Amino acid sequence: MNNKIALSIVTHNSKHIFKVLDNLRAELGDNSEYEVHIFDNNSDKDYIARLQTYEPFIVLQQHKENRGFGYGHNQVFKEAAAQYGIIFNPDVLVSKQAMDSMIQRIRENEQVALICPKVLNYDGTIQYLVRQKLDVFDYMLRFVPIHFVKKIFDKRLAYYECRDLPEDKTSYIKMGSGCFMVIDVEKYNEIQGFDERFFMYFEDNDLCLRFGQKGYKILYTPFETVTHLYEKGAHKNMKLFNIFMQSMFRFFNKWGWRFF
């Protein structure tokens, strides 16, 4: 075990990764306690060549096929000799100060297996990604493009999206977003990390619920923020929507169907 903190990013021709790496290099410098691991899921040759220009700032691991989001992170944390890690989307911007603060929070609470920050859009508005429950109706409602329909169910959506979380203190939550998670690596590996049957989507919810089954806590902090360059791929891309639907069925088959 070393003193490094393993920062894990899984890529596959990811659109924003170079902006993300430039931000990380500016924040961390060339010598910090954070070790940036890139697990690439068979991206294009030109993309890989550009990633390689960031070495040795990054530790690049190339895989010959795309096995998905969870698989890549699991490989990183199986091999990284680190006590703490960060699951980090290739479209997230964050300051070193925010990461340092979250690492300190997890160090101070042995019951906590995972910490999620407040997630912001690029314009500074909040992305409501915390969940206390999941059901089919609310998930499908988020895909409805008709504004007045969403307005009718605004109170329900507000409850579903946990919009009432306090801004002046941390909260224990049931499920947080996999776009950015600070983890205790030993606890993560104890539950065997992400369930790799989820290629993409819902693996973060599943991970959180399995931590809960083990008696570990998940902490939400409004005091540390990240910016998520969120493009709602499953809302726009039929291939991603199909993957989303497959993962949704897999999730509810595993945890029980709740329709409303």
Side-chain angles (χ1 to χ4, degrees):
M1 188 76 66
N2 61 37
N3 293 323
K4 291 286 188 180
I5 297 158
L7 196 161
S8 176
I9 303 177
V10 176
T11 57
H12 175 71
N13 297 316
S14 306
K15 178 179 177 181
H16 297 291
I17 186 61
F18 304 111
K19 183 174 184 176
V20 168
L21 290 177
D22 288 342
N23 175 72
L24 280 173
R25 189 154 57 181
E27 288 288 329
L28 302 178
D30 293 326
N31 185 22
S32 81
E33 65 273 37
Y34 294 91
E35 192 169 71
V36 181
H37 293 260
I38 304 291
F39 187 95
D40 188 79
N41 276 322
N42 197 30
S43 293
D44 297 338
K45 288 183 179 179
D46 290 346
Y47 181 91
I48 292 294
R50 191 172 174 190
L51 276 180
Q52 289 171 333
T53 66
Y54 287 84
E55 295 177 311
F57 174 71
I58 65 170
V59 178
L60 177 60
Q61 186 174 350
Q62 298 177 54
H63 200 61
K64 293 182 179 179
E65 58 180 318
N66 188 349
R67 293 279 298 276
F69 177 89
Y71 175 84
H73 288 298
N74 286 352
Q75 298 310 302
V76 170
F77 292 120
K78 282 176 186 175
E79 299 175 13
Q83 185 175 1
Y84 302 108
I86 302 178
I87 295 162
F88 199 118
N89 258 29
D91 57 358
V92 166
L93 305 175
V94 64
S95 70
K96 183 178 187 297
Q97 182 180 8
M99 290 191 287
D100 289 347
S101 295
M102 283 183 275
I103 292 295
Q104 187 60 32
R105 290 184 190 280
I106 201 168
R107 281 188 173 129
E108 291 173 348
N109 192 335
E110 290 193 4
Q111 289 183 303
V112 171
L114 188 157
I115 293 181
C116 293
K118 182 194 290 185
V119 181
L120 304 177
N121 293 300
Y122 198 66
D123 63 4
T125 56
I126 300 174
Q127 289 180 20
Y128 294 102
L129 302 178
V130 174
R131 301 286 179 264
Q132 292 295 88
K133 70 177 184 70
L134 293 180
D135 61 66
V136 177
F137 179 82
D138 289 317
Y139 250 116
M140 292 299 97
L141 187 60
R142 295 176 73 237
F143 281 90
V144 173
I146 305 170
H147 180 69
F148 83 85
V149 174
K150 288 188 173 180
K151 193 171 181 180
I152 292 170
F153 293 100
D154 185 65
K155 286 186 179 180
R156 183 182 176 92
L157 277 174
Y159 175 76
Y160 170 73
E161 294 178 343
C162 299
R163 295 184 206 165
D164 61 348
L165 283 172
E167 290 288 306
D168 58 350
K169 63 180 180 178
T170 60
S171 305
Y172 290 124
I173 60 172
K174 195 168 184 180
M175 290 170 279
S177 169
C179 74
F180 193 97
M181 292 173 158
V182 175
I183 62 166
D184 182 308
V185 174
E186 184 178 353
K187 293 180 177 69
Y188 177 90
N189 287 330
E190 179 187 341
I191 65 168
Q192 299 181 316
F194 285 114
D195 183 339
E196 295 172 11
R197 290 174 295 180
F198 296 92
F199 178 82
M200 189 178 177
Y201 304 116
F202 288 88
E203 69 284 290
D204 48 359
N205 304 123
D206 175 81
L207 180 77
C208 291
L209 291 178
R210 286 188 290 115
F211 273 137
Q213 279 187 329
K214 280 285 185 179
Y216 295 128
K217 293 187 179 295
I218 298 162
L219 187 73
Y220 169 77
T221 169
F223 302 111
E224 288 80 47
T225 66
V226 303
T227 299
H228 185 202
L229 308 175
Y230 186 40
E231 297 193 354
K232 297 185 178 180
H235 292 246
K236 305 172 185 176
N237 182 297
M238 186 54 66
K239 181 180 178 181
L240 292 177
F241 180 74
N242 287 336
I243 293 171
F244 175 90
M245 293 300 294
Q246 290 168 15
S247 292
M248 186 179 77
F249 275 93
R250 187 166 284 121
F251 178 87
F252 286 114
N253 279 337
K254 181 175 182 178
W255 292 99
W257 283 84
R258 179 173 179 165
F259 290 94
F260 195 78

